[in-house]
Amino acid sequence: MDDLARPPRLVPPTTAVRESFLAGERDDHLASGDPADWLDEAHRDFEAFVASRRGVQERWGVPCTTFWYVSGEHYIGTLILRHRLTPELAEVGGHIGYHVVLPWRRQGHATRMLAAGLAESRRLGLDRVLLTCAADNEPSRRVILANGGVHDGRARGEDRFWIDLTAVHATHSA
């Protein structure tokens, strides 16, 4: 993709990236073969779609905050921050889920987006966070390791990684 005019940052979902959000998510789902019918709501009323994703929402049985990683009008990806874990999320899912849409992959965005998500986790008062990824998802594994992830086994086909936020904070502020 083209160079971005501004460094990307995590923001609450915003209507400012309507076109790139819809195009990026649609293309991602077409490429993966995953259903994209959830995007119908966004096409019909993007403002309401965005409003329904802002603030703290209850998902997976825990409070969650959704962030979009954007630069100007460019939507790059989504990061979901789960404020705590259920027994299920402690096995698969963890505190943070993220994805970068196809046109922006392999440019370091996921690594920087996760680093920004770790800063948000610290603001919530979390001392450490769990991330999981499919055992065969090498790109995600590299992103987690680059952000200080320590492998902690496997559950139901997902590799588990803990990131100590006190250690990450000390490393990045030095």
Side-chain angles (χ1 to χ4, degrees):
M1 286 298 307
D2 297 323
D3 287 330
L4 298 170
R6 291 179 259 171
R9 59 192 178 95
L10 283 181
V11 299
T14 173
T15 57
V17 296
R18 181 185 193 279
E19 297 310 315
S20 64
F21 174 88
L22 293 172
E25 290 293 345
R26 182 196 65 235
D27 291 349
D28 253 22
H29 284 77
L30 287 172
S32 69
D34 292 335
D37 51 344
W38 65 273
L39 282 171
D40 293 346
E41 172 192 352
H43 276 285
R44 278 192 301 277
D45 187 347
F46 196 70
E47 196 168 304
F49 176 82
V50 166
S52 73
R53 281 154 175 76
R54 292 178 67 95
V56 178
Q57 306 288 319
E58 184 83 11
R59 294 175 68 192
W60 301 283
V62 298
C64 298
T65 304
T66 298
F67 296 96
W68 287 355
Y69 196 58
V70 304
S71 173
E73 74 278 5
H74 300 288
Y75 166 80
I76 297 166
T78 294
L79 183 135
I80 307 286
L81 174 55
R82 300 173 192 100
H83 299 198
R84 59 180 159 69
L85 298 177
T86 62
E88 174 81 11
L89 289 170
E91 279 191 46
V92 175
H95 285 97
I96 298 175
Y98 59 89
H99 81 277
V100 171
V101 293
L102 275 171
W104 298 103
R105 290 186 187 160
R106 302 182 80 145
Q107 299 175 44
H109 292 298
T111 301
R112 291 186 296 274
M113 180 170 55
L114 178 55
L118 296 176
E120 293 294 337
S121 300
R122 265 189 235 91
R123 279 193 267 288
L124 275 180
L126 298 174
D127 291 329
R128 68 184 198 140
V129 293
L130 175 68
L131 285 94
T132 70
C133 69
D136 64 351
N137 188 342
E138 189 57 33
S140 191
R141 170 189 295 280
R142 286 193 306 268
V143 166
I144 295 167
L145 291 172
N147 276 283
V150 176
H151 192 257
D152 185 36
R154 186 174 285 168
R156 294 189 290 166
E158 296 267 316
D159 281 334
R160 299 162 34 85
F161 300 86
W162 285 98
I163 298 177
D164 179 346
L165 297 177
T166 58
V168 170
H169 179 69
T171 301
H172 289 1
S173 61

